[in-house]
Structure formats: C-alpha cells, structure tokens
C-alpha cells in the first residue's frame, strides 16, 4: 500500500484498515511510506526491510517499508516538499509488483497539484502507473474501472472537460476500451463470458441523430465492429436506463462516455464503498474511490470503507490472476 499524500487522510485510513484486518487471514498488507508518521496514528508499527516479512508480523503490528519524509508533515496542509517521497512510494510499490514480490498495489489518494508543482508530467496517478509498467518503449493502455456493490463502470474519458468529450471519442478508442474490459472481466473477475453494454453520449442516445450524431458516427460503428469480433456487447443505450436494479442484472460492466455519466450512479448506489481499479496493466492496482480529504485530515473521522473494499478487491483480482 503506497501511503499517498502524507498530509491527507491516507495515514489515518491505513491505520484503520490494519486495525480492521489484523485478525483476518489473507489480507496482510505492507505500507510503503514514513514509519514515524504511521506510528503517530497510534498503531504499533513494524519496520520491515523486505515485504516478505509482512505476513509474519501483520497480526501484531502494521508493517511499514520505511521511505522517510525529509520534512515534518502539517496535517491537512498539502506541501509540494513531500512530492519526491510520494512518487517514490508509488514507484516502489510498482517495482515490488513487477518483481512478483507483492500480489497487488493499493494506492492511497494523492493530490496531483502537489506533484505538478515539482514537474510531475502525468495527468494523474493512473497514467504514471502505466508509464512505470512500460516494457521498453511500449506503455500499456490503462483503463479506469469503478466498482460498487454489483455495478462495474468503465470510462471512455476520465478527467476531460465536458465540452471536450465528443472530440475525445473515437471508434478505435471505444473498441480498445471494450477489448481491455472484456479481457479483464475474464482474467481478473473470473467471468468466462462477459456481457458488456455501452451508453450513448447524448440524451436518449441521440434519438436517431436528432440530439447529436456521436451515436451514429462513432459509438454504433464501434459496437458493430466488436460484435463482429465476438464481443458480447449491446448498445448504445440511453444512460438513464442503465443503472436501475433490473438493468444491472443484464450486464457485467457498462462502458460510459464521460466521468459523471458513470460516477453519479455508482456513488448513489454506494457512496462510501466504491473502488477504483486500473485495468490493462501487468500488475494489480486498486484504490479507494475518493480524494485526499485534506479538510478532514487529522480529525479521526475519515471512513475506511472504500480502502477496505480496495484491499479486498485487490486480493480477489490477484487470486483470480494466479488461477488464470
């Protein structure tokens, strides 16, 4: 578990997750971060030099692979001085997974603005992870999946301004998105014959072109291509018909065109328990579906539901991959 921004709620949540899971088998994790900061959370800490020590100490202390901060943390006040350590914690986690010394990486939230101030060149966490997983000059295509209860949502565009979404969509991009999603459902979720649906972009899925042509020009051609490639996918459907209880029984994942189209129903279904999963990488990566919580950091009120769900999901996916 990379600790994320040390000024946010990551340290508190990591401590709460350990307290919740310490007596359960199968969920042992090692924090990559600042050991002294974790000790300040009021839990026993075991400084480890090798993540292989994690399981043996987890029931009595939180294992921490110590990469210490150079400046004291002011809780709730983000500071770019910590950026080198935040980045180092993430890269170390990826390294351990690529070397198969860890089964999965769970990332606590970061604030991109803190990293940008020091020259961080990636749009976000996901893109940086993909670059760390590059093989030579080939960078894998990362896909963001969000899960909550029985809903899996995949996003065609992520943090794209709504005005720019239509231009960001392409038939080729949607085809790749669906193919990566299908493979992940088989390998990571043990669903042998995945059922996909794709949302339209416009209200009423464009209503035969009277409310926009993206469905006609981009989305439907992508669906036809995928169907001809034996992908079980249907659509495009009006987004307002896809998320009620009966509709969710008809598919294993829904491909949405933009951030809020997928995230609003997901967070309405389970605001506290959502999980962010990165598909398309050679490693397993999950994250809680919330931010750094600077406004509540240090108050002891942060809820660990999403982080606990991310840990359980990482465990499930890594076990499924081991069987495939």
């Amino acid at each position: 578990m990379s600790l994320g921004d040390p000024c946010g709620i990551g340290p508190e949540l990591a401590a709460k997750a350990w307290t919740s899971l310490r007596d359960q088998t199968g969920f042992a994790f090692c924090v990559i971060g600042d050991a002294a900061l974790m000790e300040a959370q009021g839990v026993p800490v075991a400084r480890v030099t090798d993540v292989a020590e994690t399981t043996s100490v987890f029931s009595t202390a939180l294992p921490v692979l110590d990469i210490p901060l150079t400046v004291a943390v002011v809780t709730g006040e983000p500071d770019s001085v910590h950026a080198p350590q935040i980045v180092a914690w993430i890269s170390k986690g990826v390294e351990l997974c690529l070397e198969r010394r860890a089964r999965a990486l769970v990332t606590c939230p970061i604030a991109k603005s803190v990293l940008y101030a020091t020259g961080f060149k990636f749009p976000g966490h996901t893109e940086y992870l993909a670059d760390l997983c590059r093989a030579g000059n080939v960078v894998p295509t990362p896909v963001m999946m969000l899960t909550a209860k029985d809903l899996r949502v995949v996003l065609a565009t992520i943090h794209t301004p709504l005005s720019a979404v239509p231009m960001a969509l392409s038939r080729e991009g949607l085809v790749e998105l669906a193919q990566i999603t299908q493979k992940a459902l088989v390998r990571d979720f043990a669903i042998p014959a995945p059922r996909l649906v794709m949302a339209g972009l416009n209200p009423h899925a464009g209503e035969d072109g009277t409310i926009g042509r993206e469905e006609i020009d981009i989305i439907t051609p992508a669906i036809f291509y995928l169907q001809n490639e034996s992908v079980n996918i249907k659509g495009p459907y009006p987004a307002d018909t896809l998320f009620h209880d009966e509709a969710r029984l008809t598919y294993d994942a829904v491909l949405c065109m933009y951030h809020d189209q997928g995230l609003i129903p997901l967070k309405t279904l389970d605001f506290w328990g959502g999980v962010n999963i990165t598909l398309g990488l050679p490693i397993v990566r999950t994250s809680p579906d919330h931010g750094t919580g600077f406004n509540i950091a240090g108050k002891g009120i942060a809820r660990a539901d999403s982080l606990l769900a991310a840990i359980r999901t990482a465990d499930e996916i890594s076990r499924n991959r081991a069987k495939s």
Side-chain angles (χ1 to χ4, degrees):
M1 178 184 297
S2 57
L3 195 53
D5 195 300
C7 304
I9 58 177
E12 177 184 339
L13 294 183
K16 288 181 174 179
W18 174 78
T19 301
S20 178
L21 297 174
R22 58 180 296 188
D23 295 325
Q24 299 185 34
T25 58
F27 297 112
F29 64 89
C30 177
V31 168
I32 306 170
D34 185 289
L37 180 60
M38 292 312 305
E39 287 173 335
Q41 307 306 309
V43 295
V45 166
R47 287 171 165 82
V48 299
T49 57
D50 189 329
V51 290
E53 303 170 51
T54 297
T55 304
S56 63
V57 302
F58 191 78
S59 63
T60 56
L62 172 61
V64 177
L65 191 63
D66 190 26
I67 302 178
L69 297 164
T70 57
V71 177
V73 163
V74 179
T75 301
E77 297 185 16
D79 193 331
S80 60
V81 71
H82 304 307
Q85 284 73 41
I86 297 170
V87 170
W89 298 338
I90 298 168
S91 62
K92 184 63 176 179
V94 171
E95 174 190 317
L96 292 169
C97 290
L98 288 173
E99 293 176 351
R100 301 185 181 277
R101 295 166 62 195
R103 286 194 286 130
L105 174 63
V106 179
T107 60
C108 289
I110 63 172
K112 293 185 289 291
S113 59
V114 170
L115 305 186
Y116 290 157
T118 61
F120 188 76
K121 63 180 181 179
F122 300 95
H125 220 150
T126 300
E127 293 81 4
Y128 179 52
L129 290 166
D131 190 72
L132 290 172
C133 291
R134 69 165 57 236
N137 293 323
V138 179
V139 178
T141 300
V143 167
M144 181 181 288
M145 173 183 279
L146 290 305
T147 66
K149 294 186 177 177
D150 63 344
L151 178 60
R152 299 182 188 93
V153 169
V154 176
L155 302 178
T157 62
I158 304 176
H159 299 128
T160 303
L162 198 55
S163 60
V165 167
M167 293 299 295
L169 298 176
S170 68
R171 190 196 78 155
E172 296 76 16
L174 293 178
V175 166
E176 184 178 31
L177 180 75
Q179 291 172 333
I180 291 172
T181 302
Q182 183 198 42
K183 291 177 182 177
L185 289 171
V186 174
R187 180 177 66 164
D188 296 344
F189 294 92
I191 300 172
R195 302 163 300 162
L196 304 180
V197 295
M198 192 174 290
L201 172 66
N202 297 294
H204 303 178
E207 205 166 273
D208 298 322
T210 61
I211 318 178
R213 290 195 53 85
E214 285 81 7
E215 287 76 14
I216 294 173
D217 296 336
I218 301 171
I219 301 174
T220 297
I223 292 172
F224 284 164
Y225 177 89
L226 289 160
Q227 290 172 339
N228 288 331
E229 294 293 311
S230 300
V231 176
N232 183 358
I233 185 167
K234 297 178 181 179
Y237 293 120
D240 62 359
T241 70
L242 283 174
F243 298 102
H244 60 88
D245 291 347
E246 290 83 0
R248 296 198 308 275
L249 296 174
T250 66
Y251 58 80
D252 299 301
V254 53
L255 282 60
C256 292
M257 297 300 107
Y258 58 92
H259 184 277
D260 285 10
Q261 187 181 63
L263 269 292
I264 288 174
L266 186 127
K267 291 193 175 185
T268 300
L269 182 66
D270 185 2
F271 184 79
W272 297 108
V275 178
N276 181 345
I277 306 166
T278 305
L279 310 182
L281 299 182
I283 68 169
V284 177
R285 181 264 180 149
T286 67
S287 178
D289 182 28
H290 58 67
T292 51
F294 292 126
N295 60 317
I296 62 170
K299 298 180 180 179
I301 60 174
R303 292 180 54 157
D305 307 49
S306 187
L307 181 59
L308 287 166
I311 294 168
R312 293 188 174 99
T313 300
D315 176 69
E316 175 192 358
I317 292 174
S318 63
R319 291 182 187 278
N320 284 333
R321 284 197 184 185
K323 295 175 185 176
S324 62

